[in-house]
Amino acid sequence: MANVPNITLNNGVEIPQLGFGTYQIEPENTREAVKTALEVGYRHIDTAEMYGNEKEVGEGFRDSGLARDEVFITSKLNNGFHAEADVAKAIDQSLADLQLEHLDLFLIHWPLPGIDVDFVETWKAMEQLYRDGKARAIGVSNFQTNHLNKLRDQTDITPAVNQIEVHPYLTQDELRAYNAEHSIHTEAWSPIAQGKVLDDPAIVRVAERVGRTPAQVTLRWAIQRGDIVFPKSVTRSRVEENFALFDFELSQDDITAISTLNRDERTGPNPDTFNMIP
């Protein structure tokens, strides 16, 4: 089993750098997918209330037979629960569905800058549930520098992570540098751009040279840049492939060649304009 490195967050909590994502895994497939990932060796599971599969994530974890302190579990606040009075209710529902006493990491899923609840209010409620011990760490997802600056100016606790879309076609170098400057670790979602980067000639050339798949090369690129990543699949062979990232390295020239593929091209919404309430 690979020795996945841990990253120490700004409050001292350790998180495995490689995790298993559950976005777009249907609830009926989630229990087995999570169990399989844990069998393969993953010890970090990422879910969200809006994914609709928290209950099945919890079932897969319990099926694994692993102890609670052996698995790092993240979930995220539903966009419809940003009001201060709703945040504690939301995490309580997530904990009930997961059948957990606490989360390892709880995130504001989107900043939603255009709704009638200021995300500063939401973050202050997140700070309180952190103080109450309902989450070992709190963070944000899809926050831009302007959103983070507002939190810095008006709240007490620096987010432990910022989970943002990052892949070779959207390298997010400026936002990642901002995160690092302020002791916020970057988590990369959509790390292979929903498969769009896997046929890129530059990535294919590196993969052929190192004897790995384009997906492994792309995930390794993210790992060596210091990001936390959590690929997802419901196919065991692909789950195993995505886990086999720690017995090879890319050269600095490889890292640079892949990084220069940046197009500022998103696969998901723009956080400055996305205000969807489910």
Side-chain angles (χ1 to χ4, degrees), residues 21-34:
T22 62
Y23 176 57
Q24 293 183 331
I25 299 182
E26 295 297 328
E28 60 267 27
N29 298 324
T30 301
R31 180 175 186 167
E32 187 61 29
V34 169

PDB file of all heavy atoms in Angstrom, residues 21-34:
ATOM      1  N   GLY A  21     -12.829  11.223  -4.175  1.00  0.00           N
ATOM      2  CA  GLY A  21     -13.961  12.108  -4.373  1.00  0.00           C
ATOM      3  C   GLY A  21     -15.237  11.347  -4.683  1.00  0.00           C
ATOM      4  O   GLY A  21     -15.200  10.273  -5.287  1.00  0.00           O
ATOM      5  N   THR A  22     -16.373  11.923  -4.281  1.00  0.00           N
ATOM      6  CA  THR A  22     -17.664  11.253  -4.509  1.00  0.00           C
ATOM      7  C   THR A  22     -18.635  12.109  -5.304  1.00  0.00           C
ATOM      8  O   THR A  22     -19.812  11.774  -5.417  1.00  0.00           O
ATOM      9  CB  THR A  22     -18.315  10.865  -3.165  1.00  0.00           C
ATOM     10  OG1 THR A  22     -18.574  12.048  -2.396  1.00  0.00           O
ATOM     11  CG2 THR A  22     -17.410   9.920  -2.374  1.00  0.00           C
ATOM     12  N   TYR A  23     -18.169  13.214  -5.875  1.00  0.00           N
ATOM     13  CA  TYR A  23     -19.038  14.055  -6.700  1.00  0.00           C
ATOM     14  C   TYR A  23     -19.528  13.272  -7.905  1.00  0.00           C
ATOM     15  O   TYR A  23     -18.759  12.580  -8.578  1.00  0.00           O
ATOM     16  CB  TYR A  23     -18.265  15.294  -7.144  1.00  0.00           C
ATOM     17  CG  TYR A  23     -19.025  16.205  -8.083  1.00  0.00           C
ATOM     18  CD1 TYR A  23     -20.258  16.740  -7.718  1.00  0.00           C
ATOM     19  CD2 TYR A  23     -18.499  16.548  -9.320  1.00  0.00           C
ATOM     20  CE1 TYR A  23     -20.958  17.581  -8.568  1.00  0.00           C
ATOM     21  CE2 TYR A  23     -19.181  17.395 -10.175  1.00  0.00           C
ATOM     22  CZ  TYR A  23     -20.412  17.902  -9.800  1.00  0.00           C
ATOM     23  OH  TYR A  23     -21.101  18.734 -10.652  1.00  0.00           O
ATOM     24  N   GLN A  24     -20.825  13.365  -8.172  1.00  0.00           N
ATOM     25  CA  GLN A  24     -21.482  12.716  -9.309  1.00  0.00           C
ATOM     26  C   GLN A  24     -21.470  11.195  -9.224  1.00  0.00           C
ATOM     27  O   GLN A  24     -21.725  10.520 -10.224  1.00  0.00           O
ATOM     28  CB  GLN A  24     -20.882  13.190 -10.642  1.00  0.00           C
ATOM     29  CG  GLN A  24     -21.181  14.661 -10.936  1.00  0.00           C
ATOM     30  CD  GLN A  24     -20.653  15.107 -12.282  1.00  0.00           C
ATOM     31  OE1 GLN A  24     -19.655  14.578 -12.796  1.00  0.00           O
ATOM     32  NE2 GLN A  24     -21.298  16.094 -12.873  1.00  0.00           N
ATOM     33  N   ILE A  25     -21.175  10.639  -8.058  1.00  0.00           N
ATOM     34  CA  ILE A  25     -21.399   9.207  -7.860  1.00  0.00           C
ATOM     35  C   ILE A  25     -22.815   9.047  -7.328  1.00  0.00           C
ATOM     36  O   ILE A  25     -23.178   9.627  -6.302  1.00  0.00           O
ATOM     37  CB  ILE A  25     -20.381   8.580  -6.889  1.00  0.00           C
ATOM     38  CG1 ILE A  25     -18.956   8.731  -7.431  1.00  0.00           C
ATOM     39  CG2 ILE A  25     -20.699   7.112  -6.658  1.00  0.00           C
ATOM     40  CD1 ILE A  25     -17.880   8.094  -6.557  1.00  0.00           C
ATOM     41  N   GLU A  26     -23.624   8.294  -8.052  1.00  0.00           N
ATOM     42  CA  GLU A  26     -25.016   8.128  -7.655  1.00  0.00           C
ATOM     43  C   GLU A  26     -25.093   7.444  -6.294  1.00  0.00           C
ATOM     44  O   GLU A  26     -24.264   6.579  -5.973  1.00  0.00           O
ATOM     45  CB  GLU A  26     -25.770   7.306  -8.693  1.00  0.00           C
ATOM     46  CG  GLU A  26     -25.893   7.983 -10.052  1.00  0.00           C
ATOM     47  CD  GLU A  26     -26.682   9.273  -9.984  1.00  0.00           C
ATOM     48  OE1 GLU A  26     -27.609   9.366  -9.151  1.00  0.00           O
ATOM     49  OE2 GLU A  26     -26.359  10.193 -10.761  1.00  0.00           O
ATOM     50  N   PRO A  27     -26.097   7.816  -5.484  1.00  0.00           N
ATOM     51  CA  PRO A  27     -26.210   7.226  -4.148  1.00  0.00           C
ATOM     52  C   PRO A  27     -26.181   5.698  -4.157  1.00  0.00           C
ATOM     53  O   PRO A  27     -25.539   5.088  -3.287  1.00  0.00           O
ATOM     54  CB  PRO A  27     -27.550   7.764  -3.643  1.00  0.00           C
ATOM     55  CG  PRO A  27     -27.710   9.077  -4.342  1.00  0.00           C
ATOM     56  CD  PRO A  27     -27.116   8.865  -5.709  1.00  0.00           C
ATOM     57  N   GLU A  28     -26.819   5.082  -5.142  1.00  0.00           N
ATOM     58  CA  GLU A  28     -26.868   3.625  -5.155  1.00  0.00           C
ATOM     59  C   GLU A  28     -25.503   2.984  -5.424  1.00  0.00           C
ATOM     60  O   GLU A  28     -25.303   1.785  -5.173  1.00  0.00           O
ATOM     61  CB  GLU A  28     -27.882   3.125  -6.193  1.00  0.00           C
ATOM     62  CG  GLU A  28     -27.591   3.541  -7.620  1.00  0.00           C
ATOM     63  CD  GLU A  28     -28.298   4.825  -8.024  1.00  0.00           C
ATOM     64  OE1 GLU A  28     -28.590   5.659  -7.134  1.00  0.00           O
ATOM     65  OE2 GLU A  28     -28.527   5.002  -9.238  1.00  0.00           O
ATOM     66  N   ASN A  29     -24.557   3.787  -5.931  1.00  0.00           N
ATOM     67  CA  ASN A  29     -23.209   3.268  -6.195  1.00  0.00           C
ATOM     68  C   ASN A  29     -22.181   3.721  -5.169  1.00  0.00           C
ATOM     69  O   ASN A  29     -21.045   3.238  -5.169  1.00  0.00           O
ATOM     70  CB  ASN A  29     -22.740   3.731  -7.586  1.00  0.00           C
ATOM     71  CG  ASN A  29     -23.615   3.214  -8.701  1.00  0.00           C
ATOM     72  OD1 ASN A  29     -24.110   2.094  -8.638  1.00  0.00           O
ATOM     73  ND2 ASN A  29     -23.820   4.032  -9.718  1.00  0.00           N
ATOM     74  N   THR A  30     -22.569   4.647  -4.299  1.00  0.00           N
ATOM     75  CA  THR A  30     -21.594   5.291  -3.424  1.00  0.00           C
ATOM     76  C   THR A  30     -21.076   4.362  -2.337  1.00  0.00           C
ATOM     77  O   THR A  30     -19.869   4.350  -2.037  1.00  0.00           O
ATOM     78  CB  THR A  30     -22.202   6.552  -2.789  1.00  0.00           C
ATOM     79  OG1 THR A  30     -22.610   7.453  -3.832  1.00  0.00           O
ATOM     80  CG2 THR A  30     -21.197   7.245  -1.880  1.00  0.00           C
ATOM     81  N   ARG A  31     -21.962   3.594  -1.729  1.00  0.00           N
ATOM     82  CA  ARG A  31     -21.541   2.730  -0.618  1.00  0.00           C
ATOM     83  C   ARG A  31     -20.421   1.797  -1.059  1.00  0.00           C
ATOM     84  O   ARG A  31     -19.364   1.708  -0.404  1.00  0.00           O
ATOM     85  CB  ARG A  31     -22.734   1.937  -0.104  1.00  0.00           C
ATOM     86  CG  ARG A  31     -22.404   0.992   1.054  1.00  0.00           C
ATOM     87  CD  ARG A  31     -23.667   0.334   1.582  1.00  0.00           C
ATOM     88  NE  ARG A  31     -23.415  -0.477   2.784  1.00  0.00           N
ATOM     89  CZ  ARG A  31     -24.377  -0.944   3.570  1.00  0.00           C
ATOM     90  NH1 ARG A  31     -25.657  -0.695   3.284  1.00  0.00           N
ATOM     91  NH2 ARG A  31     -24.058  -1.660   4.643  1.00  0.00           N
ATOM     92  N   GLU A  32     -20.607   1.129  -2.185  1.00  0.00           N
ATOM     93  CA  GLU A  32     -19.603   0.184  -2.659  1.00  0.00           C
ATOM     94  C   GLU A  32     -18.347   0.913  -3.120  1.00  0.00           C
ATOM     95  O   GLU A  32     -17.219   0.427  -2.913  1.00  0.00           O
ATOM     96  CB  GLU A  32     -20.167  -0.657  -3.801  1.00  0.00           C
ATOM     97  CG  GLU A  32     -19.257  -1.787  -4.272  1.00  0.00           C
ATOM     98  CD  GLU A  32     -18.961  -2.812  -3.180  1.00  0.00           C
ATOM     99  OE1 GLU A  32     -19.807  -3.012  -2.284  1.00  0.00           O
ATOM    100  OE2 GLU A  32     -17.862  -3.417  -3.225  1.00  0.00           O
ATOM    101  N   ALA A  33     -18.520   2.079  -3.751  1.00  0.00           N
ATOM    102  CA  ALA A  33     -17.358   2.836  -4.228  1.00  0.00           C
ATOM    103  C   ALA A  33     -16.470   3.264  -3.069  1.00  0.00           C
ATOM    104  O   ALA A  33     -15.239   3.159  -3.133  1.00  0.00           O
ATOM    105  CB  ALA A  33     -17.814   4.056  -5.021  1.00  0.00           C
ATOM    106  N   VAL A  34     -17.075   3.752  -1.989  1.00  0.00           N
ATOM    107  CA  VAL A  34     -16.298   4.182  -0.825  1.00  0.00           C
ATOM    108  C   VAL A  34     -15.625   2.988  -0.167  1.00  0.00           C
ATOM    109  O   VAL A  34     -14.436   3.059   0.210  1.00  0.00           O
ATOM    110  CB  VAL A  34     -17.199   4.938   0.167  1.00  0.00           C
ATOM    111  CG1 VAL A  34     -16.488   5.154   1.501  1.00  0.00           C
ATOM    112  CG2 VAL A  34     -17.628   6.272  -0.428  1.00  0.00           C
TER     113      VAL A  34
END
